[in-house]
């Protein structure tokens, strides 16, 4: 099945452009001799067939959009020969397979991010925000993240901290065995399976399995769908603000597949004596609910005003 005409044009444009930019001599072919013959710059389609170890004409059919549903290994080989970046790799899959690629093109993908991420996180307010690489090494974070931990010491590797640090399991990540471990372990299992050639992930998974506390839990709950949705909540003991919960959203980084932005809001548990939380929104809701229950009107003092049947400040 041929690709639609517009997609064939886009495919030819990107593939021809990348072929033209590559030196055949650097790819192992002899230098061209003066005289008649191919004069176009870069690798020829015939040379691409040789590099791909395919029968003559295979690459021509692919470049012209006539190779139906090309296999993953074929697309991977083409993209690596032509030195695609991750965005071009994703574009190739969208054109030829109408889906996202099943894995990053390069093993180094997701292991670094632009320094601009630190500048951005420095501007993020009171949330707990950090960026980690494909191995969960913390690459950038804000002060809110650092203040979460005892001594304001941010972990070097967040997954290793969450699963293996004794202090994290007993003092920071409350209900670790029943909530944190089942929530985090499938993330590690999925990442290690996706990047089987990543030594850092393999080492981390091996250390977890060998740990007498985490190992049995990993066997029990890691092989499961990742239990995450935007706004997922987990209990935590904040080093400064005390017990509460983190409400978290995650975002993959387009320019560095495998790296991820993690941003959470901390909400302190209600004070047993007052029933109020240190979260300003929660405090406001609590005060408003109390006022509504009593029909209070505080307009004379310039404070919160709640009309009968209403909820919130009066204009």
């Amino acid at each position: 099945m041929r690709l639609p005409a517009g997609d064939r044009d886009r495919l030819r444009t990107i593939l021809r452009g990348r072929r033209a930019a590559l030196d055949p001599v650097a790819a192992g072919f002899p230098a061209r001799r003066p005289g008649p013959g191919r004069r176009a710059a870069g690798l020829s389609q015939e040379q691409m067939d040789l590099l791909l170890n395919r029968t003559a004409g295979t690459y021509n059919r692919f470049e012209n959009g006539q190779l139906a549903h090309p296999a993953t290994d074929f697309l991977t080989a083409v993209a690596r020969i032509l030195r695609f970046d991750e965005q071009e790799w994703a574009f190739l899959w969208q054109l030829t397979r109408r889906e996202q690629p099943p894995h990053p093109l390069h093993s180094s993908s997701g292991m670094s991010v632009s320094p601009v991420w630190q500048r951005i996180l420095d501007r993020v307010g009171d949330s707990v925000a950090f960026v980690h690489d494909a191995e969960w090494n913390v690459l950038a974070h804000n002060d809110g993240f650092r203040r979460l931990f005892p001594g304001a010491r941010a972990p070097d590797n967040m997954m290793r901290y969450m699963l293996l640090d004794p202090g994290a399991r007993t003092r920071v990540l409350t209900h670790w065995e029943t909530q944190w471990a089942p929530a985090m372990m499938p993330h590690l299992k999925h990442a290690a399976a996706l990047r089987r050639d990543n030594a850092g992930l393999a080492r981390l998974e091996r250390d977890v399995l060998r740990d007498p506390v985490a190992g049995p839990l990993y066997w029990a709950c890691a092989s499961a769908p990742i239990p995450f949705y935007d706004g997922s909540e987990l209990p935590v003991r904040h080093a400064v603000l005390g017990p509460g919960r983190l409400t978290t959203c995650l975002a993959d980084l387009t320019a560095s597949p495998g790296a991820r932005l993690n941003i959470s809001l901390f909400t302190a548990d209600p004070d047993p004596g007052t029933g109020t939380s240190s979260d300003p929104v929660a405090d406001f809701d609590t005060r408003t609910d109390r006022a509504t229950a009593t029909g209070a009107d505080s307009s004379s003092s310039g404070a919160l005003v709640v009309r009968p049947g209403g909820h919130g400040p009066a204009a």
Side-chain angles (χ1 to χ4, degrees), residues 1-59:
M1 183 182 69
R2 293 174 53 135
L3 295 177
D7 286 346
R8 291 200 304 272
D9 291 342
R10 284 185 278 273
L11 182 63
R12 276 195 297 266
T13 297
I14 189 171
L15 294 175
R16 286 177 178 175
R18 297 314 296 265
R19 280 198 298 113
L22 297 177
D23 180 8
V25 175
F29 295 100
R32 294 185 185 128
R33 296 179 179 177
R38 172 183 166 84
R39 301 264 62 89
L43 291 168
S44 69
Q45 293 182 342
E46 292 78 10
Q47 288 169 332
M48 286 295 297
D49 281 326
L50 291 172
L51 292 172
L52 292 165
N53 195 28
R54 302 285 174 150
T55 57
T58 300
Y59 181 80

Side-chain angles (χ1 to χ4, degrees), residues 12 22-23 31 38 84 101 119 138 145 166 188 256 271 273 294:
R12 276 195 297 266
L22 297 177
D23 180 8
R38 172 183 166 84
F84 276 18
R119 292 167 50 202
V138 176
F145 177 74
L188 175 58
S256 188
D271 185 327
T294 60

Side-chain angles (χ1 to χ4, degrees), residues 25-280:
V25 175
F29 295 100
R32 294 185 185 128
R33 296 179 179 177
R38 172 183 166 84
R39 301 264 62 89
L43 291 168
S44 69
Q45 293 182 342
E46 292 78 10
Q47 288 169 332
M48 286 295 297
D49 281 326
L50 291 172
L51 292 172
L52 292 165
N53 195 28
R54 302 285 174 150
T55 57
T58 300
Y59 181 80
N60 175 275
R61 293 196 301 277
F62 172 68
E63 189 171 286
N64 286 287
Q66 298 172 342
L67 192 62
H69 206 71
T72 300
D73 61 344
F74 179 82
L75 291 176
T76 301
V78 168
R80 287 179 176 164
I81 290 170
L82 297 181
R83 302 178 185 177
F84 276 18
D85 62 26
E86 296 294 343
Q87 283 68 48
E88 292 165 332
W89 169 239
F91 184 65
L92 184 66
W93 271 77
Q94 291 161 9
L95 279 179
T96 61
R97 296 276 298 253
R98 297 294 190 270
E99 57 185 299
Q100 293 296 317
H103 56 73
L105 178 61
H106 305 291
S107 60
S108 61
S109 174
M111 298 307 297
S112 63
V113 297
S114 168
V116 73
W117 275 106
Q118 185 59 64
R119 292 167 50 202
I120 290 172
L121 293 183
D122 286 341
R123 301 290 182 91
V124 176
D126 293 331
S127 63
V128 176
F130 68 101
V131 170
H132 66 75
D133 67 15
E135 296 176 4
W136 277 277
N137 296 308
V138 176
L139 302 179
H141 62 80
N142 71 343
D143 284 342
F145 177 74
R146 180 177 53 79
R147 290 196 302 268
L148 175 66
F149 304 99
R153 293 187 297 271
D156 293 328
N157 184 290
M158 196 58 189
M159 187 62 73
R160 182 171 291 276
Y161 174 81
M162 291 187 293
L163 299 187
L164 294 174
D165 187 281
R169 296 190 301 211
T170 59
R171 296 192 299 274
V172 179
L173 311 179
T174 50
H175 302 291
W176 179 85
E177 185 173 331
T178 58
Q179 296 193 40
W180 279 92
M184 295 299 112
M185 288 176 174
H187 283 275
L188 175 58
K189 182 76 171 179
H190 177 79
L194 186 64
R195 294 176 177 250
R196 297 183 184 277
D197 59 344
N198 185 290
L201 288 171
R203 183 168 54 253
L204 176 55
E205 185 177 42
R206 185 167 59 249
D207 291 346
V208 169
L209 287 168
R210 290 175 176 173
D211 184 83
V213 177
L217 284 171
Y218 195 80
W219 281 112
C221 63
S223 296
I226 294 174
F228 180 83
Y229 57 89
D230 286 343
S232 289
E233 292 192 344
L234 286 169
V236 67
R237 180 175 292 278
H238 196 291
V240 177
L241 302 176
R245 62 189 184 276
L246 291 175
T247 304
T248 301
C249 288
L250 304 175
D252 292 329
L253 305 192
T254 301
S256 188
R260 181 173 288 171
L261 169 66
N262 182 310
I263 187 164
S264 303
L265 299 177
F266 175 79
T267 305
D269 288 343
D271 185 327
T274 64
T276 60
S277 163
S278 67
D279 177 24

